[in-house]
Each structure stands twice: as C-alpha cells, then as structure tokens.
Amino acid sequence: MDVELLSRIQFGLTAGFHFIYPPLTIGLGVLIAIIEFMYLKTNDEIYRKMADFWAKLFAINFVIGVATGIVMEFEFGTNWSNYARFVGDIFGSPLAAEGVFAFFLESTFLGLYLVGKNRLSRFMRFFSFLMVAFGSTLSALWILIANSWQQTPAGYKVEGGRAVLTNFWAAVFNPTMPSMYLHTVDASFITGAMFMAGVSAYFLIKGKNLELAKRSLKLAVVFGVIVSILQLFPFGDESARVVAKTQPEKLASFEGLFKTQSKAPLLVFGVPDPSQNKMLVEVSIPGALSYLADHNVNAVVKGIDAFPKDDLPPMTLTFYSFHLMVALGTLFILTFLVGIYLLYKKKIYTTKPFLTVLWAFIPLPYIANELGWITTEVGRQPWAVYGLLRTKDAFSPLPAGDVWFSLIGFTLVYAVLFGVFLYLTIHTVKSFKMD
Amino acid sequence: MDLNIIWFLLVGILIIGYAILDGFDLGVGSVYLFAKFKERDIARNSIAPVWDGNEVWLITGGGALFAAFPMVYATAFSGFYLALILLLFALIFRAISLELRNNFQSESTKTLFDWVFSISSIVAIVLFGVAVGNVLSGLNVDKSGNYVGTFFDLLNPYSILVGVLAFFMLSYQGTVWLFLKTEDEFQQKVKNWAKIYWSGYLILFVICTLLTYVLHKNLFHNYLAHPLMLVVPLLALIFMLASIIRIQKNQALCAIIASSLSIAMVILTAYLSLFPNLIIAKNPAYSLNIYNAASSQLTLETMLIIALIGMPIVLIYTIYSYRVFHGKTKIEEGY
C-alpha cells in the first residue's frame, strides 16, 4: 500500500473513532444542563442524583473524546503536511479559536463540576455544567467551520500555491457552514436523547432507580421528539439543498442519479451499479429530487454523466451511507413519536416491548452519525479541499513503514480504548443504585 | 513591532504556559510511583480538576502554530512523525489512566493504571525535551520543507540530554506542586524528592548551555549581538535558586512561583536564540523564519483579535478554578 492510502486509512480510523464520543458529549451535556437547571429551580434532591449519575457516564465518554481529539489536531501536520501548507492561512485559525473559546471552557468547568461539587453552590453547579455544554457546542461550531470550508471554500484567493484569506467572515460563513453545523449538532442531540432514553428504559425494565429513570425518560423522549423532527425538517432538508447547489456531483452520488434530468426522481429504495451507470432496482418518487434540490419539480438536477470521471466520489459507499442515514433518521422520529404517544397515554413506563426497543436502539444514532460523516467526507473525494486541492496532493511524503507503525499502533490502542469505554459504561449503568 | 514578531512571542507564551501548567501535572505523574498507594490518591486528586485545562494549552499552542506559521507546523509535525505518534500514545494513555482508574475496583487494576500513568507522563516529558533539542540542533530539511532523515537521527546525544533536562525540570515542578498541596509526612517526603530533581535541573541547565555553546554556536548569535538579552538565562538561574531556597524554608507558594518563572526563562532562553527562525535548516537557505513561514497579515491580525478577546476570559476562569481548589488536597476529593 502507498503512503497516501495508508494515511487516508489512518485518518479515517482516527477521525471515525474520535467521532463516536463528541456527539454524546454535546447531546448528553445539554440534557444534564437542563437537569441541573431543574435542581437549581426546585432544590429537589432527585435532580441532583440524576445529574450526578448522568455526569458519571458523561465523564467516561468525555475523557476518551479528549484523548482521541488531540490526535486529530496533530494529524493535519504529521500525515497531511502539504494540506497544512495549502490551507494553513485559513484552516488553522478555527482550530486555534476552538482551543481558546471552547476547549478551555469545557475542560476547566468540567474539572470544577466533577471534582469541586462539594465546594460549589447550587448555582455554580448549574453554571459550571452550562459552560461545559456551551463549550462543547461551541467546539463543534469551530471544527465545522474548518470542515465546511473544505467542502465549500470561500473568502480566499489562491496565491503562490496556497489558499490565502481575503475575508474572514466569508470563510467562516461559507455556504455549507450553517446547515452542516445545525445538522451535526442536532444529530448530537438525538444521540444524547436516545442514550438517556435507552439507559432509563433499562432501569425501568430491571425495576431499579425508578424515580430517576422515569424523570430521565420523560425528559429524553420530549427532547428527542423535537430534535429528531427538526433533523428531517429543516436541518436535513436544508443540508441536502446546499449540497445540491454547491457540490452537485456529491448529490448525484447520494442519490444514484446517473443521468442529468428535470423532474429528477427521489429514491425510496434502490441498488445502483456504478460499473454499468444504472440502477439495478429502483423505487422512486418522480420529480421529488428536483423539488428537494430547488423547491421546483421541473428543476434540472445534474447526474453522474455531467462530471468527468476523475472528479467523482466513490459512489457505492456514499450512496449507501446516505440512504441508511436517512432511514435511521426516520426511524428515530417514529420511535420518539411512539414514545410521546405512550407518555400521553401514561403507559410508557410499563410498556416493556417499547422499553426494550429504546435500550436496543442506543447504538443506532452512533451508526447514523458515522454514516453521515462518511457521506460528507467520502462524498468530498477526490478532493481534500473541494475544487482546489486533491487528496493525492495533500499527504506528507513519509516512509511507508512509519505510517504502518502508527496505523497498527492506533488500531491496537483504540481497540483497547473502546473495550475500556464499553466495559466502564455498561458496568456503571448495571451497578448503579440510587440511594 | 510587526504582527510576525507578535505571533512569534504569542506562540512562545503558549509554549511557556503549557510547560508551566501541564508541567506540574506531568511532573506529578513523573514522581507518582514513589508515593505510597494511599498517598497516590492525594497526588492524583491535586491535579484531577485542572490537568485537562492545562493540556488545552498544548492544543491551543498547536492550533496557533498551525494558524500563524503553517509551514513550521507542517515541517515540524511531519518531520517528528514517529516521535509525535509516540507522544500521542503517551498522552492518550495518561488521560485514560488518570481519569478512569477509580472506576475500577481491584487494587491490581489500579496499580496497573498507576504504572501506565507514571510511565506515560515520563515518556511525554522526555519526548517534548528531545523535540526541543532537535529544533535547537537544526533539522535536515529539503527545499519543499520536508524533513530528510529517520526517527533515530532525532535521538542524537544532544537532544537526549535536552530530554533529560526536561525530565528534571518538570519533575521538579511536579514535586513543588505536591509540596504546595500536601501536608505532614507526605510533604516531608516530597521535600526530599525535590532535592534530587532540583540538583538535576540546575546541573543539566548549565551543562546544556555549555554544550550548546560548543556544538551550536550559531544559537548564541542573538545573545552576542544584544548582550542585554543575557539577563534571560541569568534570571533562569536566579529563579531556580530562589525556588530552591523557598522550598527549604517551607514557603511552598513562593517556591512554585519561582520554579514556574524559572521554566519560563529556560524556555525563553532557548526560544530567543532561534529568532527570527523557527526551524533552522542544515542548509540555511531552507530555514523557516517568522516571515517566510507565516500566514498572511490578515490571518495574523484576525488571530490576534481572537487571542485578545479569548485569552483574558480563559485566564479569569482558570484563576477562579485554581482559587476554588486552593489549599491542601484532601484524600476523599477526586473522581
């Protein structure tokens, strides 16, 4: 294997693994901040115990997110030095700003919150956690500013073989940034809601920690139904429309649209065959893709045939990741709607089959997050910076042996981390008894 | 003063901030295994609420280097590839073993985590030092700024000696922190450790300085041109001695302030010797300096605004956090 491929595999592995953790930090963080707010308002001890329990799981998740996050910042230089030289004038600032505005905030206040509990007033408890939640959503903003700029570069000129900043705010508010941020943060909220709902459901099934579980489940389901519906409309819808406008070949790959056409169909189900440039099986709604892309059924949507082969992303991976993500998103809406119905009927705490579903669904938002990430990043290929720098021109010219060493090392270290994470999370839930 | 010089200084401040702050918790990790099993709880708890915030200085420093001097970031990070990968593994293991230790019940698992925590702390410290040693010796880079050489070229005697200096410097910082946060018998023990580390710190600083004069005379260029600058290494020595005297007199707070200032001056001594370069290439034509390796003026200006808005706020709540945890660490406080 050549160095480019090895570095791509390593970046995919380390970014994909890192991305398991931040969504829960963001989603669960907001939910714990709400619980702390309830504690501040009511002075009801149950809320304090709830916050303590969820914060314990939060802390395990958080530390692995932190430990694997530093790797990402280093890799732009270690494995992608030519990329770093090309984009440094623009890409470095949001990374530094993420440290200044977000990482300091979340780690300092989390330390205060976790260790200083007995030294803090109820207000400072709430405020500390609010800052943790605020810091983590802010961190997502800065990193997605950097990432979205790679998708739709703006506010720059190319000079002497480098992208040079010409307008900071144009670079920050590049075309994909707002939709990508909202879509990703909302996905994190769904992850947090499903996690809290699932763990609470487990307690209810086991008949343990009932008061904590009931209140948490109610909070998670109400929060979950709102954020999962918002994800379909407007956030997901808007994301797709922005991609249609700014990265049409990516949309064509998402949708398996081989031919440029007006009244383009939206696939409900399909099996593409990229080698023959056609769909083997297809169930679709005529005109719906045109409508989605431009809010007009007659709009012309560019198909795969409109682009040179060298500029196209690998279709199969992009296509299936996208569709599976959409299917999971729909499943989350249905799940939380059923939850709301049962809550309204006052049957949610006793409907075992539904509680079992919630418990079993905990991994699904994680899978949806990863699929969304694959959709975006694989869909950006063959570019490192869309339209400006190809991935094959971005990597560091390292000895292949060095990258083999690090790749094998990361695989082993991350396997251990994942084992520790699963063991501790499951153990913490199973052994927890509210006094 | 132009923006490039300002950013040269600001990157230096971030490095110094990192070395002082994460320095004491890395240092606690370095001396950690000398503590008895019970005492380890105090050692760990004393850094538990702040270590992660301290590590953010590294992340922000890396981000600032990337943003202000992307060519340096690209050359150094890809050039030190294996060393940095090992550093990342050390930092990962360190974070996990420190934070998650007490989630496990059995004493043998806890002891395993203790060993991992201490060894990974030491590895991280030494690797930082070796990296600095290589930056000082100059790197073999080609025209496009790529490092030419192997990992083992980085392990030259001079750089390893700088790694040992880093080990003594930060381990000393760690013991002074523990001296501040502990009481009674444990504190007396810490005081005895401090003697070993300050001796090493003092001796190695002198040896490294002399050796630098012999091996890398070019690094004295700035000092010989502006002899007034010699006050920096002199202050490094003075603060070292002040810290040693204060710890003898049991004045822990003064000792840690002096030791922190000595770290600042040691790093500044090395950092100023590079100016205006950041990476000295064996072929001087390929050296990366604060002008040919910098981002555009607009980026430097934007970043300066970000730093001026953000860092004062960071300092305010960082100080608040240290104040909340001021005083002796109690055994029951921790995760």
Side-chain angles (χ1 to χ4, degrees):
Chain A
M1 272 197 272
D2 60 17
V3 176
E4 181 203 347
L5 186 59
L6 285 169
S7 280
R8 283 182 68 180
I9 294 171
Q10 180 173 307
F11 197 86
L13 171 83
T14 49
F17 186 78
H18 171 65
F19 193 46
I20 295 174
Y21 305 97
L24 190 70
T25 301
I26 294 169
L28 192 58
V30 168
L31 288 166
I32 296 174
I34 294 173
I35 295 172
E36 279 291 347
F37 179 70
M38 295 305 291
Y39 176 52
L40 177 69
K41 240 178 61 174
T42 62
N43 201 14
D44 183 344
E45 278 297 293
I46 302 269
Y47 285 121
R48 188 184 58 78
K49 288 172 186 170
M50 276 166 77
D52 283 351
F53 168 70
W54 294 111
K56 215 170 168 176
L57 294 174
F58 180 93
I60 296 168
N61 177 76
F62 185 84
V63 69
I64 301 188
V66 166
T68 54
I70 309 178
V71 176
M72 306 318 306
E73 194 198 52
F74 275 46
E75 272 180 330
F76 298 122
T78 52
N79 294 72
W80 303 95
S81 56
N82 285 328
Y83 168 83
R85 289 186 183 103
F86 183 83
V87 301
D89 201 56
I90 292 157
F91 195 86
S93 313
L95 285 193
E98 191 181 16
V100 172
F101 291 122
F103 290 151
F104 274 122
L105 198 65
E106 49 176 350
S107 47
T108 306
F109 280 100
L110 187 63
L112 262 170
Y113 181 85
L114 290 177
V115 190
K117 270 181 182 160
N118 302 328
R119 297 182 184 223
L120 298 180
S121 65
R122 261 191 309 144
F123 175 77
M124 274 316 291
R125 265 182 74 109
F126 162 69
F127 182 77
S128 297
F129 211 91
L130 188 66
M131 288 301 107
V132 175
F134 179 62
S136 60
T137 36
L138 206 56
S139 136
L141 175 65
W142 288 106
I143 198 62
L144 288 169
I145 286 170
N147 182 285
S148 61
W149 189 87
Q150 281 180 272
Q151 312 283 348
T152 47
Y156 71 98
K157 61 178 182 217
V158 175
E159 202 177 77
R162 297 164 62 187
V164 177
L165 186 69
T166 54
N167 182 335
F168 178 72
W169 293 112
V172 165
F173 287 98
N174 67 72
T176 37
M177 191 282 274
S179 61
M180 190 187 241
Y181 177 65
L182 294 170
H183 186 58
T184 311
V185 167
D186 200 43
S188 307
F189 290 164
I190 296 172
T191 310
M194 193 63 91
F195 184 84
M196 186 174 271
V199 172
S200 307
Y202 170 81
F203 285 151
L204 289 166
I205 294 166
K206 292 283 168 187
K208 292 196 306 188
N209 312 315
L210 293 179
E211 197 47 39
L212 178 150
K214 283 179 182 174
R215 289 192 196 184
S216 301
L217 181 60
K218 192 173 165 186
L219 171 64
V221 167
V222 172
F223 186 74
V225 79
I226 298 169
V227 294
S228 61
I229 291 173
L230 285 176
Q231 191 67 307
L232 174 70
F233 190 85
F235 301 146
D237 172 68
E238 180 62 20
S239 283
R241 198 163 42 253
V242 170
V243 170
K245 257 189 222 141
T246 57
Q247 294 171 294
E249 61 275 58
K250 192 195 257 187
L251 185 84
S253 296
F254 283 179
E255 283 298 337
L257 187 71
F258 289 102
K259 284 192 175 54
T260 304
Q261 53 193 280
S262 72
K263 295 197 177 64
L266 184 70
L267 277 186
V268 177
F269 177 78
V271 178
D273 182 353
S275 63
Q276 297 184 54
N277 279 347
K278 64 170 198 183
M279 298 302 285
L280 296 177
V281 186
E282 182 175 345
V283 181
S284 57
I285 313 166
L289 182 61
S290 291
Y291 185 79
L292 186 80
D294 202 32
H295 282 192
N296 169 11
V297 281
N298 292 315
V300 175
V301 181
K302 281 186 179 170
I304 298 284
D305 59 357
F307 305 96
K309 217 171 160 17
D310 282 353
D311 293 351
L312 288 170
M315 181 167 187
T316 311
L317 196 53
T318 322
F319 177 86
Y320 285 110
S321 302
F322 176 72
H323 284 276
L324 213 52
M325 174 191 75
V326 173
L328 284 170
T330 315
L331 183 64
F332 302 149
I333 296 176
L334 293 175
T335 311
F336 285 120
L337 280 175
V338 172
I340 285 287
Y341 172 76
L342 291 172
L343 196 66
Y344 175 71
K345 288 277 171 190
K346 299 194 173 18
K347 283 195 287 198
I348 192 167
Y349 306 127
T350 49
T351 311
K352 280 229 166 131
F354 181 66
L355 295 175
T356 312
V357 163
L358 286 180
W359 170 235
F361 275 12
I362 290 178
L364 297 187
Y366 288 96
I367 295 172
N369 294 340
E370 297 288 335
L371 291 170
W373 166 71
I374 292 171
T375 304
T376 312
E377 301 302 310
V378 174
R380 191 193 63 230
Q381 300 301 330
W383 303 101
V385 181
Y386 181 71
L388 295 181
L389 180 73
R390 284 177 192 267
T391 310
K392 67 178 167 61
D393 300 320
F395 64 97
S396 311
L398 295 162
D402 287 14
V403 191
W404 270 113
F405 171 83
S406 57
L407 178 58
I408 293 168
F410 278 120
T411 309
L412 296 176
V413 171
Y414 282 8
V416 172
L417 284 193
F418 194 60
V420 169
F421 167 72
L422 281 185
Y423 169 78
L424 282 182
T425 304
I426 293 168
H427 178 78
T428 307
V429 171
K430 281 194 169 169
S431 64
F432 177 72
K433 273 199 190 66
M434 199 174 75
D435 40 75
Chain B
M1 209 184 315
D2 61 29
L3 278 165
N4 300 58
I5 297 179
I6 290 174
W7 271 103
F8 176 81
L9 294 176
L10 286 178
V11 168
I13 289 173
L14 287 167
I15 296 170
I16 288 170
Y18 176 69
I20 291 174
L21 291 172
D22 216 28
F24 75 71
D25 64 62
L26 283 162
V28 167
S30 161
V31 305
Y32 180 75
L33 287 178
F34 296 141
K36 279 190 288 198
F37 195 74
K38 271 270 157 220
E39 296 165 341
R40 288 177 189 173
D41 287 334
I42 296 182
R44 246 187 5 267
N45 291 349
S46 77
I47 57 171
V50 292
W51 77 269
D52 189 19
N54 294 344
E55 199 170 276
V56 176
W57 285 82
L58 174 68
I59 300 172
T60 305
L65 186 68
F66 190 176
F69 305 108
M71 308 300 155
V72 177
Y73 167 80
T75 295
F77 277 54
S78 59
F80 294 154
Y81 188 78
L82 285 180
L84 288 183
I85 296 296
L86 290 176
L87 175 68
L88 286 172
F89 291 157
L91 292 178
I92 290 172
F93 279 121
R94 185 169 181 272
I96 301 299
S97 56
L98 175 64
E99 287 278 309
L100 299 183
R101 174 192 189 268
N102 278 0
N103 283 293
F104 292 90
Q105 303 307 321
S106 84
E107 196 158 311
S108 56
T109 312
K110 288 184 176 179
T111 307
L112 172 72
F113 273 57
D114 285 346
W115 277 83
V116 172
F117 170 57
S118 190
I119 290 171
S120 54
S121 300
I122 294 172
V123 169
I125 294 172
V126 174
L127 284 171
F128 280 125
V130 171
V132 171
N134 278 291
V135 169
L136 291 174
S137 344
L139 285 176
N140 203 354
V141 294
D142 66 17
K143 206 171 89 189
S144 31
N146 293 312
Y147 170 70
V148 189
T150 69
F151 174 58
F152 295 99
D153 296 336
L154 300 177
L155 298 177
N156 52 72
Y158 174 81
S159 302
I160 290 174
L161 208 65
V162 179
V164 179
L165 168 62
F167 169 76
F168 280 108
M169 177 169 91
L170 297 190
S171 302
Y172 176 63
Q173 175 82 341
T175 52
V176 186
W177 171 260
L178 281 179
F179 187 72
L180 178 73
K181 302 302 275 185
T182 56
E183 299 168 283
D184 308 330
E185 194 193 338
F186 188 25
Q187 197 189 26
Q188 279 312 306
K189 229 157 100 177
V190 167
K191 197 174 170 181
N192 290 332
W193 303 342
K195 277 181 202 148
I196 306 169
Y197 291 114
W198 66 247
S199 319
Y201 180 21
L202 199 61
I203 294 167
L204 274 145
F205 177 66
V206 175
I207 292 179
C208 283
T209 309
L210 294 176
L211 207 61
T212 307
Y213 187 76
V214 176
L215 293 174
H216 307 294
K217 254 194 203 89
N218 59 319
L219 292 175
F220 279 75
H221 176 264
N222 288 336
Y223 289 98
L224 297 175
H226 307 278
L228 205 65
M229 278 171 58
L230 286 168
V231 79
V232 176
L234 198 66
L235 278 175
L237 271 176
I238 290 173
F239 286 129
M240 256 180 245
L241 294 170
S243 172
I244 294 164
I245 293 166
R246 294 296 178 169
I247 209 167
Q248 292 310 316
K249 290 186 176 167
N250 297 324
Q251 292 163 327
L253 192 61
C254 292
I256 190 129
I257 291 170
S259 133
S260 301
L261 289 171
S262 80
I263 291 175
M265 292 303 141
V266 168
I267 291 174
L268 204 58
T269 302
Y271 195 60
L272 291 179
S273 70
L274 294 173
F275 184 87
N277 296 304
L278 280 159
I279 288 185
I280 300 172
K282 297 275 188 222
N283 177 346
Y286 302 154
S287 285
L288 298 174
N289 62 42
I290 62 168
Y291 298 104
N292 70 8
S295 281
S296 65
Q297 293 296 303
L298 180 60
T299 295
L300 294 182
E301 201 182 294
T302 312
M303 287 281 299
L304 186 61
I305 295 169
I306 289 174
L308 288 177
I309 296 172
M311 286 318 280
I313 303 173
V314 170
L315 290 177
I316 289 169
Y317 60 69
T318 302
I319 291 169
Y320 169 75
S321 163
Y322 277 83
R323 283 177 62 105
V324 168
F325 295 104
H326 85 283
K328 303 293 180 188
T329 304
K330 301 282 177 270
I331 204 150
E332 67 277 7
E333 270 190 321
Y335 297 122

